């Protein structure tokens, strides 16, 4: 009887387990899983793979060239538990649905899951959707498909080719330039663009001319009219002669023309246009934009954020129409169907848009709300009517002159149309800063009274430095990279310190202003700062040297057309038109011999080394080059075998100095460091430049010199001020010490008091008064923490130099 009950119980458990088997949906992100789970019933379990579950080995080549370029994938240690959990669930699932993103990277994730989990085709399907809404998810479940191996191969081709370039070229950079450098197919081209632009700026010679504007009074005696001369004057002599001729001239309105102008809205966002507009309007970095957009997508607020397409679905078009007519009326609506112009457009499903066009606002953090607002307004505006404007041009005659005219232009909006919702921002253009709004009413042939004419010396503009957004735009124009690669590329070149995002100080220059008022011409000079930049991409010396080296030995890798053509080949692989292994073989067969040749080439001097001249005091040559910790100046040669000859001297370059532009005089100044600044409290103060930048040294304590001061010019009083500030900060930091056990200290950190012992930090309980702690109480807290001290990130280790 008992045995029978036991069997019935076990049978019941088995049936319960069988009936509880679920369909397993695997996505690549936990946030995405959480959103999808809301739309599916109890028959589905949604799990996350947390990105790729396997990849090429980090430190090995991991490509078998002899076996058709077969990648050697491994499961990283941190993914083994995830894989085990997914495998366990997949073994009991009725159906497995691979629901990673719809692009090539997402297809590759699905394929790796299929291979690693050893899934069966019979009960495994691929589902895709470009928005995380209930309708989209349910439609995807109705239309499953197999894994698209062509998309997978396109992703593998990119991964393998980039690994070949990185692993074959990087060791050459270590030997010829500097250890720990790396090269990449797309990143190196991006760095080249920035390096070449900086050199254009350095080589640019500005040309001066005079821009002339006039202020007139209309016949009513009170209304003013601004106008500008229709040409620039080449120099001061011509400007003075023109003003002299205007002393006795008469001015009247020669012509008035009015012209209707239409402005059309910009298309909905693609990945690159979203990155550019978020940078201009919101000040977001490219990486920040993609991170916020990813959260919006995974929360179900916007469609997929990696796309080349400007197309909108019929559903979105209908919803936009309804939203516009309901809010603004029929006249504000205009149907528009945009087509993608980008060559080789990939993932061309739909533009980035809100999933619900009836929702102008969402819940979220401020960044998410701002980016969503941008996407919503851009999408709605793309389906709105043109803006109608009227542009008025008034031409003013100067008596005695045939060709010279003053021109006043103004523009007014007669119907705002899409401008009611959204106005696309554009790059600044200093030449388009002279336009009036509504011009005053005037009549042809009316005489004007001259108040003043101002001739201002202006200068031709150098090429602009790249912002992250403008670099993305240029890469897209060249056909280099794809929506999924822009942000990682820009992040990588900054992480590897080939490029920095920073400020550039301008230089002071003088400009001249001539003013005619009445019968007198005044002549004054003013000063202005020219060439200052904020938050722009600047090449480092290492970035410039690596670019030059690669251009000399691997010109094909840095060739813009080659990189763009490779992208086209990836597109052809994705479309099933090319075999990815043949593409790899064609590349490797041509590329590998150049690697071997570069490896064996002996350089006359280290890459990037530049001789500045001869030191007049020693007669030794002065060089600048890349050292172990960055750019350095070198005085003298290293003479092997001659122990009696003086050893070369080395000095680090200061921030803002470059091996490309530093002069001999500036380099010789660096060898004056370290220098004595004075004495304080019985100890000498010295100033110098070290691995971490400019410093002063006093009583064996290093203190950083701020940007506002210079180690070559810092005074004793300024140095003493830094020493006292350091002492004050240290006194506030050290709460308590114990003479019996000096290894244990109670310190004040960024996040509050903590105990430091043997290079580890330990949190204090909230109830403890740090000033009253005894040595025994400190030891007890350390012992109770065991192997789990506070993280070094939260409580930084004490720094020593």
């Amino acid at each position: 009887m008992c045995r029978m009950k036991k069997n019935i119980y076990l049978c019941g458990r088995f049936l319960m387990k069988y009936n509880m088997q679920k369909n397993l949906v695997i996505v690549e992100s936990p946030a995405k899983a959480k959103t999808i789970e809301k739309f599916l019933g109890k028959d589905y379990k949604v799990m996350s793979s947390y990105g790729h579950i396997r990849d090429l080995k980090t430190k090995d080549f991991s490509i078998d060239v002899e076996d058709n370029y077969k990648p050697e994938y491994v499961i990283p240690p941190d993914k083994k538990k995830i894989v085990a959990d997914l495998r366990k669930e997949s073994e009991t699932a009725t159906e497995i649905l691979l629901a990673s993103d719809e692009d090539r990277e997402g297809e590759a994730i699905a394929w790796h899951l299929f291979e690693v989990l050893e899934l069966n085709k019979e009960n495994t399907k691929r589902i895709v959707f470009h928005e995380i809404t209930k309708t989209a998810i349910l439609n995807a479940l109705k239309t499953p498909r197999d894994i698209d191996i062509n998309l997978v191969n396109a992703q593998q081709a990119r991964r393998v080719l980039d690994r070949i370039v990185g692993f074959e070229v990087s060791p050459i950079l270590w030997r010829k330039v500097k250890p720990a450098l790396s090269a990449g197919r797309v990143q190196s081209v991006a760095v080249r663009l920035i390096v070449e632009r900086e050199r254009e700026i350095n080589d640019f010679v500005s040309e001066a001319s005079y821009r002339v504007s006039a202020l007139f009074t209309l016949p009513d005696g009170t209304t003013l009219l601004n106008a500008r001369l229709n040409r620039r004057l080449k120099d001061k002599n011509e400007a003075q002669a023109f003003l002299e001729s205007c002393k006795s001239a008469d001015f009247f309105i020669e012509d008035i023309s009015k012209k209707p102008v239409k402005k059309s809205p910009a298309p909905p966002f693609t990945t690159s246009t979203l990155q550019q507009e978020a940078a201009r309007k919101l000040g977001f970095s490219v990486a920040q934009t993609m991170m916020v957009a990813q959260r919006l997508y995974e929360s179900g607020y916007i469609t997929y954020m990696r796309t080349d397409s400007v197309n909108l679905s019929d559903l979105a078009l209908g919803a936009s129409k309804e939203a516009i007519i309901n809010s603004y009326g029929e006249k504000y609506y205009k149907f528009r169907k945009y087509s993608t112009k980008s060559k080789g457009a990939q993932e061309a499903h739909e533009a980035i848009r809100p999933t619900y066009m009836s929702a102008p606002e969402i819940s979220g953090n401020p960044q998410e709300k701002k980016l969503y607002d941008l996407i919503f307004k851009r999408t709605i505006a793309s389906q709105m009517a043109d803006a109608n404007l009227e542009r008025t041009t008034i031409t003013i005659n100067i008596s005695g002159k045939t060709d010279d005219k003053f021109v006043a232009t103004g523009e007014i909006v007669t119907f705002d149309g899409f401008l009611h919702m959204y106005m696309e921002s554009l790059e600044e253009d200093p030449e388009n800063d002279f336009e009036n709004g509504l011009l005053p009413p005037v009549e042809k042939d009316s005489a004007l009274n001259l108040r003043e004419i101002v001739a201002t010396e202006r200068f031709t503009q150098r090429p602009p430095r790249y912002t992250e957004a403008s670099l993305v735009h240029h890469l897209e124009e060249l056909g280099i990279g794809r929506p999924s690669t822009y942000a990682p590329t820009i992040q990588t070149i900054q992480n590897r310190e080939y490029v920095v995002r920073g400020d550039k100080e301008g230089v002071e220059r003088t400009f001249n202003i001539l003013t005619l008022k009445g019968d007198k011409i005044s002549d004054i000079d003013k000063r202005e700062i020219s060439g200052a930049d904020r938050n722009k991409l600047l090449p480092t010396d290492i970035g410039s040297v690596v670019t030059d080296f690669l251009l000399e030995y691997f010109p094909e890798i840095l060739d813009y057309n080659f990189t763009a053509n490779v992208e086209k080949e990836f597109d052809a692989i994705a479309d099933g038109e090319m075999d990815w292994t043949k593409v790899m073989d064609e590349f490797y067969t041509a590329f590998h011999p150049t690697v071997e040749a570069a490896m064996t080439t002996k350089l006359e001097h280290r890459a990037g080394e530049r001789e500045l001249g001869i030191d007049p005091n020693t007669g030794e040559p002065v060089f600048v080059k890349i050292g172990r910790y960055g750019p350095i100046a070198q005085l003298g040669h290293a003479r092997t075998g001659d122990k009696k000859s003086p050893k070369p001297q080395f000095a680090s370059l200061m921030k803002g100095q470059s091996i490309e532009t530093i002069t001999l005089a500036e380099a010789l100044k660096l060898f004056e460091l370290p220098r004595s600044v004075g004495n304080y409290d019985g100890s000498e103060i010295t100033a110098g430049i070290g691995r971490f930048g400019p410093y002063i040294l006093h009583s064996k304590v290093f203190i950083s010199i701020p940007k506002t001061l210079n180690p070559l010019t810092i005074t004793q009083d300024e140095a003493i001020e830094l020493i006292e500030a350091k002492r004050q900060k240290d006194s506030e930091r050290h709460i308590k010490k114990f003479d019996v056990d000096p290894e244990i200290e109670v310190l004040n950190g960024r996040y509050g008091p903590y105990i430091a012992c043997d290079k580890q930090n330990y949190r204090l309980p909230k109830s403890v008064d740090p000033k009253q702690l005894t040595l025994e109480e400190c030891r007890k807290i350390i012992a109770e923490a065991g192997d789990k001290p506070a993280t070094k990130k939260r409580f930084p280790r004490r720094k020593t130099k």
Side-chain angles (χ1 to χ4, degrees):
M1 190 70 175
C2 290
R3 184 177 294 177
M4 186 182 295
K5 285 183 178 179
K6 184 177 181 182
N7 288 339
I8 291 170
Y9 171 76
L10 291 174
C11 183
R13 292 284 293 176
F14 172 78
L15 289 171
M16 189 183 295
K17 182 179 179 182
Y18 178 80
N19 289 329
M20 287 179 68
Q21 284 179 336
K22 294 184 177 183
N23 298 309
L24 177 63
V25 180
I26 305 177
V27 297
E28 67 275 69
S29 118
K32 186 175 173 182
K34 188 177 179 182
T35 306
I36 291 174
E37 211 161 25
K38 293 188 295 186
F39 304 132
L40 299 176
K42 60 183 180 180
D43 294 333
Y44 291 88
K45 180 168 186 177
V46 186
M47 296 182 70
S48 171
S49 68
Y50 292 83
H52 281 277
I53 58 167
R54 67 175 182 176
D55 200 357
L56 300 174
K57 293 178 184 176
T58 307
K59 296 183 180 179
D60 292 340
F61 187 49
S62 295
I63 296 164
D64 192 342
V65 176
E66 302 301 323
D67 188 9
N68 242 359
Y69 302 89
K70 183 180 178 182
E72 297 171 0
Y73 294 113
V74 294
I75 301 169
D78 62 330
K79 289 296 176 74
K80 287 187 176 177
K81 186 180 185 305
I82 293 168
V83 169
D85 292 343
L86 291 171
R87 181 178 281 119
K88 182 180 177 183
E89 290 294 333
S90 66
E91 286 172 352
T92 59
T94 307
E95 187 177 39
I96 298 105
L97 298 164
L98 304 175
S100 47
D101 289 342
E102 59 181 343
D103 57 8
R104 296 171 192 171
E105 208 67 35
E107 204 72 20
I109 288 173
W111 178 74
H112 283 298
L113 285 166
F114 185 87
E115 294 288 315
V116 172
L117 302 180
E118 298 174 327
L119 303 177
N120 296 317
K121 275 192 174 182
E122 289 74 22
N123 71 332
T124 303
K125 291 294 178 183
R126 173 89 168 103
I127 60 170
V128 294
F129 37 84
H130 62 273
E131 60 182 55
I132 305 177
T133 61
K134 187 171 184 177
T135 303
I137 301 301
L138 295 179
N139 284 338
L141 291 174
K142 292 175 187 175
T143 56
R145 62 169 173 81
D146 293 330
I147 291 170
D148 188 336
I149 199 64
N150 292 326
L151 291 178
V152 175
N153 287 339
Q155 189 273 346
Q156 286 196 109
R158 179 187 293 278
R159 191 79 181 88
V160 168
L161 193 145
D162 289 348
R163 176 56 65 99
I164 290 171
V165 172
F167 263 69
E168 297 231 330
V169 176
S170 296
I172 300 173
L173 294 177
W174 304 343
R175 290 188 184 187
K176 310 289 185 182
V177 182
K178 180 180 175 286
L181 296 178
S182 67
R185 183 181 55 85
V186 177
Q187 75 180 46
S188 297
V189 173
V191 175
R192 179 189 173 185
L193 284 170
I194 296 165
V195 168
E196 289 183 343
R197 176 58 57 87
E198 194 67 24
R199 287 173 179 167
E200 283 180 53
I201 292 168
N202 291 336
D203 295 339
F204 181 78
V205 179
S206 185
E207 295 180 1
S209 62
Y210 278 75
R211 190 173 63 191
V212 183
S213 60
L215 182 64
F216 298 98
T217 306
L218 297 187
D220 65 7
T222 57
T223 309
L224 300 177
L225 178 65
N226 278 299
R228 179 173 286 179
L229 191 66
N230 58 357
R231 68 184 180 96
R232 288 200 175 200
L233 307 180
K234 62 183 180 181
D235 55 31
K236 187 174 183 178
N237 290 334
E238 187 178 8
Q240 283 179 320
F242 177 80
L243 294 186
E244 285 289 345
S245 68
C246 287
K247 285 182 178 180
S248 57
D250 295 320
F251 304 90
F252 67 91
I253 293 174
E254 182 180 278
D255 185 54
I256 304 167
S257 68
K258 294 187 177 182
K259 182 181 176 183
V261 177
K262 281 191 176 183
K263 284 188 177 180
S264 298
F269 282 127
T270 62
T271 301
S272 67
T273 55
L274 177 64
Q275 290 167 346
Q276 293 164 51
E277 193 75 339
R280 290 190 288 255
K281 281 188 180 291
L282 307 178
F284 285 6
S285 69
V286 167
Q288 184 182 7
T289 299
M290 294 312 292
M291 179 182 68
V292 177
Q294 178 94 28
R295 291 202 299 264
L296 290 174
Y297 166 67
E298 290 177 345
S299 300
Y301 291 132
I302 64 170
T303 54
Y304 192 54
M305 66 286 160
R306 295 187 184 95
T307 176
D308 289 335
S309 176
V310 291
N311 181 49
L312 291 176
S313 68
D314 291 340
L315 185 67
L317 291 170
S320 298
K321 177 181 179 180
E322 186 180 345
I324 293 165
I325 292 174
N326 288 343
S327 299
Y328 308 111
E330 189 81 39
K331 68 176 182 177
Y332 275 90
Y333 171 71
K334 182 178 179 180
F335 173 79
R336 300 175 192 273
K337 194 80 173 175
Y338 296 94
S339 58
T340 303
K341 297 178 181 178
S342 176
K343 292 182 179 179
Q346 170 190 322
E347 291 87 60
H349 299 282
E350 197 174 354
I352 303 169
R353 63 163 176 84
T355 51
Y356 300 104
M357 299 307 302
S358 58
E361 294 179 357
I362 60 163
S363 59
N365 64 37
Q367 289 183 342
E368 291 166 356
K369 287 180 177 180
K370 286 178 183 178
L371 193 65
Y372 179 83
D373 183 64
L374 201 66
I375 294 167
F376 181 85
K377 287 180 176 176
R378 174 84 163 221
T379 308
I380 289 288
S382 73
Q383 295 300 307
M384 292 180 75
D386 292 330
N388 296 326
L389 300 92
E390 184 179 77
R391 181 170 292 158
T392 303
T393 303
I394 300 173
T395 306
I396 300 167
N397 182 279
I398 308 169
S399 64
K401 293 187 180 293
T402 307
D403 297 325
D404 288 338
K405 313 283 182 185
F406 279 108
V407 178
T409 57
E411 196 173 78
I412 60 167
V413 177
T414 56
F415 173 64
D416 55 1
F418 77 92
L419 294 176
H420 192 83
M421 172 62 69
Y422 183 85
M423 179 67 174
E424 184 182 20
S425 59
L426 301 171
E427 296 293 338
E428 292 180 9
D429 185 355
E431 296 301 307
N432 293 334
D433 61 352
F434 191 84
E435 190 165 282
N436 300 281
L438 177 64
L439 292 176
V442 293
E443 293 181 5
K444 191 176 178 181
D445 298 327
S446 297
L448 302 175
N449 295 316
L450 177 67
R451 273 209 172 187
E452 66 176 20
I453 299 177
V454 179
T456 307
E457 187 180 21
R458 291 291 81 201
F459 303 88
T460 50
Q461 298 287 319
R462 58 164 176 75
R465 289 185 172 90
Y466 285 109
T467 60
E468 288 190 355
S470 62
L471 180 61
V472 167
H473 180 64
H474 200 173
L475 289 170
E476 187 180 37
E477 282 185 327
L478 293 171
I480 296 168
R482 288 294 182 262
S484 59
T485 64
Y486 298 136
T489 296
I490 289 175
Q491 195 64 49
T492 297
I493 62 178
Q494 292 180 72
N495 290 345
R496 291 178 177 167
E497 297 182 349
Y498 292 151
V499 170
V500 295
R501 191 172 66 165
D503 303 336
K504 197 79 173 179
E505 291 184 8
V507 293
E508 194 174 57
R509 71 180 175 194
T510 303
F511 67 100
N512 178 246
I513 300 176
L514 301 172
T515 304
L516 169 63
K517 205 164 188 177
D519 290 332
K520 293 183 179 179
I521 297 174
S522 62
D523 182 343
I524 62 169
D525 286 337
K526 289 189 174 182
R527 304 185 77 80
E528 65 182 356
I529 300 297
S530 167
D533 268 326
R534 296 288 176 267
N535 210 25
K536 297 294 174 69
L537 295 176
L538 309 169
T540 62
D541 281 323
I542 293 172
S544 299
V545 169
V546 168
T547 296
D548 290 339
F549 181 84
L550 293 176
L551 275 171
E552 183 175 354
Y553 293 97
F554 302 98
E556 188 178 50
I557 295 297
L558 263 69
D559 182 76
Y560 301 134
N561 290 328
F562 165 78
T563 310
N565 287 333
V566 168
E567 296 291 349
K568 291 177 183 175
E569 289 180 336
F570 291 157
D571 294 339
I573 293 167
D575 293 335
E577 297 169 1
M578 294 184 78
D579 184 325
W580 80 274
T581 58
K582 288 181 180 178
V583 173
M584 292 303 101
D585 192 58
E586 185 179 329
F587 169 76
Y588 190 76
T589 304
F591 175 68
H592 189 64
T594 62
V595 173
E596 292 180 326
M599 189 65 85
T600 56
T601 301
K602 290 185 177 180
L603 303 181
E604 292 182 10
H605 54 79
R606 196 168 184 85
E609 187 173 284
R610 185 167 78 93
E611 185 172 344
L612 302 179
I614 303 297
D615 175 23
N617 295 327
T618 63
E620 294 284 351
V622 179
F623 304 90
V624 283
K625 62 182 183 180
I626 299 295
R628 184 179 179 187
Y629 299 116
I632 57 170
Q634 177 180 327
L635 174 61
H637 280 296
R639 297 176 176 86
T640 54
D642 187 358
K643 294 182 179 180
K644 293 182 180 179
S645 62
K647 292 182 178 179
Q649 298 178 50
F650 298 95
S652 297
L653 268 61
M654 288 195 293
K655 190 171 183 179
Q657 291 182 325
S658 166
I659 61 175
E660 292 201 2
T661 57
I662 191 171
T663 63
L664 175 63
E666 289 169 338
L668 288 173
K669 275 289 201 182
L670 298 174
F671 293 106
E672 297 176 7
L673 300 173
R675 70 181 183 90
S676 178
V677 176
N679 283 276
Y680 184 58
D681 283 353
S683 297
E684 185 182 22
I685 307 171
T686 57
I689 303 174
R691 180 183 172 186
F692 302 104
Y695 66 86
I696 56 170
L697 176 62
H698 178 256
S699 298
K700 298 182 180 180
V701 176
F702 289 90
I703 304 166
S704 295
I705 296 176
K707 293 178 183 178
T708 53
L709 299 174
N710 188 318
L712 291 166
T713 57
I714 189 171
T715 64
Q716 178 174 305
D717 289 342
E718 290 168 336
I720 290 170
E721 193 175 328
L722 294 177
I723 293 166
E724 287 300 325
K726 169 74 172 170
R727 287 177 177 177
Q728 176 68 24
K729 191 175 180 180
D730 285 349
S731 67
E732 292 171 356
R733 184 167 178 264
H734 293 272
I735 298 174
K736 200 163 190 178
K737 286 187 177 183
F738 303 97
D739 294 334
V740 180
D741 193 345
E743 280 292 312
I744 296 178
E745 280 187 90
V746 183
L747 301 173
N748 197 11
R750 181 182 175 187
Y751 298 101
Y754 64 97
I755 298 171
C757 177
D758 194 23
K759 298 182 180 180
Q760 295 287 357
N761 303 322
Y762 301 87
R763 293 185 182 91
L764 292 179
K766 291 181 180 179
S767 58
V768 170
D769 182 354
K771 293 179 181 178
Q772 303 301 321
L773 276 172
T774 65
L775 179 59
E776 288 305 315
E777 286 172 333
C778 289
R779 285 173 175 168
K780 184 181 178 184
I781 291 170
I782 293 168
E784 288 174 351
D787 297 329
K788 296 180 180 179
T791 60
K792 297 181 182 69
K793 184 178 180 182
R794 186 170 173 82
F795 295 99
R797 186 185 298 177
R798 287 168 291 169
K799 293 181 180 177
T800 56
K801 287 190 179 181

